Amino acid sequence: MSSPETRSSAAVRGLWPRLGEHLPAGLRDALARYHHPMTWTGIALFGALLAFSFLGPLIYTANPFTIHAMHILSPPSLAFPFGTDNLGRDMLARAMAGGRSSLTVGVLGSLVAMLAGIAYGMLSALGPSWLDKALMRLLDALLALPTLVLMIFFAAIIPLDVVSLTLLLGLVSWPGLARIVRNEALAYRERDYVQAARQFGAGTFYIARVHLLRAMLPILIVNTTFMVADVILGLAGLSFLGLGIQPPRASWGGLLNEGVQQVFLNDWWLILFPGLLIFGAILAMNFIGQGLLTRLEGRA
């Protein structure tokens, strides 16, 4: 007798061909190769967080900056589903606004890190040997520096807005990916099809863009999903220390920091909801990355 997990997997495999009939051939092949229950769970959870943050205000239209003087530190209720803060502001509206800041910085910061890591890794792998050695020694020095200390140092001297924090978190997150790109590029550049392209006169930039990046794309996507979680957690950490998105604008880490300051009053909702949202975002991206990694390694 088959187990519930086996029956569930069989149901998913049976549903997939019917869904795939309505997709373009290239997208269908890519999804068929990398689809995994954990990946879809992460996508569904992250999609719910995106809908909550960006579409939620279309349904729940409360202003996150409005002060309700008669409802200061009110617990969750029908009028205020997430309660109110110490100024009487609607915590649900502020959680939505904080999600827009946190998710925007998380996604864009990881893209900045990915682009910087690709550029650095490719330059090291495809440049002359002396340049490779110099760049790798510099990379070793950067990896030896504590990331949190770097973030706190630069956050103390730059404007604390979405653009600056996106660039900051992206530019302290790329060294690990740069090493991966460099190692993969060194391996792929010796493949026969790359050597053949070089013999036919293909330039270094063309080989990197057409052959190497295409071969590394799955690994880059997996690492970028994990990086989104790292950037969201980094922003939450900075905001918790008061070095993230500045009031009155909200971020999930900033809301958590405000809640901790009120913890002695037993206002549990100020901590619970921002903490769950941060946890959900990190869990979603790790599910996506782990599911993709499992399929990439051929374990499922």
Side-chain angles (χ1 to χ4, degrees):
M1 184 175 180
S2 60
S3 66
E5 183 178 355
T6 303
R7 291 196 299 271
S8 175
S9 299
V12 171
R13 288 194 298 268
L15 178 63
W16 175 253
R18 296 196 296 273
L19 294 175
E21 293 175 356
H22 305 286
L23 298 174
L27 179 60
R28 183 170 63 245
D29 293 342
L31 293 177
R33 181 179 178 186
Y34 294 110
H35 86 280
H36 186 277
M38 188 177 290
T39 302
W40 290 114
T41 301
I43 290 174
L45 179 55
F46 196 71
L49 291 172
L50 288 174
F52 170 81
S53 301
F54 290 92
L55 300 181
L58 300 178
I59 300 172
Y60 189 81
T61 57
N63 190 323
F65 303 110
T66 300
I67 295 176
H68 305 275
M70 302 301 294
H71 299 279
I72 292 175
L73 293 176
S74 295
S77 62
L78 290 178
F80 303 102
F82 280 18
T84 61
D85 65 6
N86 60 329
L87 296 178
R89 294 172 295 188
D90 191 319
M91 280 295 292
L92 177 54
R94 286 178 60 75
M96 292 176 178
R100 291 193 293 276
S101 300
S102 298
L103 296 177
T104 298
V105 172
V107 173
L108 295 182
S110 65
L111 291 178
V112 170
M114 183 182 70
L115 294 175
I118 290 174
Y120 194 96
M122 285 291 187
L123 181 62
S124 179
L126 301 179
S129 60
W130 63 266
L131 181 61
D132 179 36
K133 292 179 181 178
L135 292 178
M136 284 301 99
R137 298 296 77 75
L138 176 60
L139 190 62
D140 290 338
L142 292 174
L143 288 170
L145 296 174
T147 303
L148 180 60
V149 174
L150 280 177
M151 289 193 299
I152 293 174
F153 173 76
F154 286 108
I157 61 176
I158 65 171
L160 297 178
D161 54 33
V162 170
V163 175
S164 299
L165 289 169
T166 298
L167 292 174
L168 169 62
L169 291 165
L171 293 176
V172 300
S173 303
W174 63 267
L177 182 61
R179 183 178 292 279
I180 293 173
V181 170
R182 181 255 185 185
N183 292 340
E184 292 294 319
L186 287 176
Y188 280 114
R189 75 177 186 179
E190 303 302 328
R191 299 289 179 90
D192 291 340
Y193 62 88
V194 175
Q195 295 298 327
R198 198 182 301 276
Q199 292 296 325
F200 278 101
T204 301
F205 180 74
Y206 177 87
I207 290 174
R209 179 174 55 88
V210 174
H211 295 293
L212 301 184
L213 275 181
R214 183 176 298 176
M216 288 188 286
L217 188 60
I219 297 175
L220 292 175
I221 292 175
V222 169
N223 280 275
T224 302
T225 58
F226 288 126
M227 201 176 296
V228 172
D230 292 340
V231 173
I232 291 175
L233 185 60
L235 176 64
L238 287 177
S239 299
F240 187 79
L241 297 173
L243 295 173
I245 305 296
Q246 295 299 292
R249 300 197 174 276
S251 68
W252 289 339
L255 295 179
L256 191 62
N257 181 34
E258 294 173 6
V260 169
Q261 295 176 15
Q262 304 294 325
V263 69
F264 59 91
L265 298 176
N266 199 29
D267 300 323
W268 53 268
W269 60 91
L270 298 179
I271 297 175
L272 177 64
F273 296 117
L276 286 177
L277 291 168
I278 294 171
F279 175 76
I282 295 172
L283 184 66
M285 297 315 299
N286 278 280
F287 271 1
I288 295 172
Q290 192 60 49
L292 292 173
L293 185 61
T294 299
R295 293 294 295 174
L296 187 63
E297 294 178 347
R299 298 200 301 262

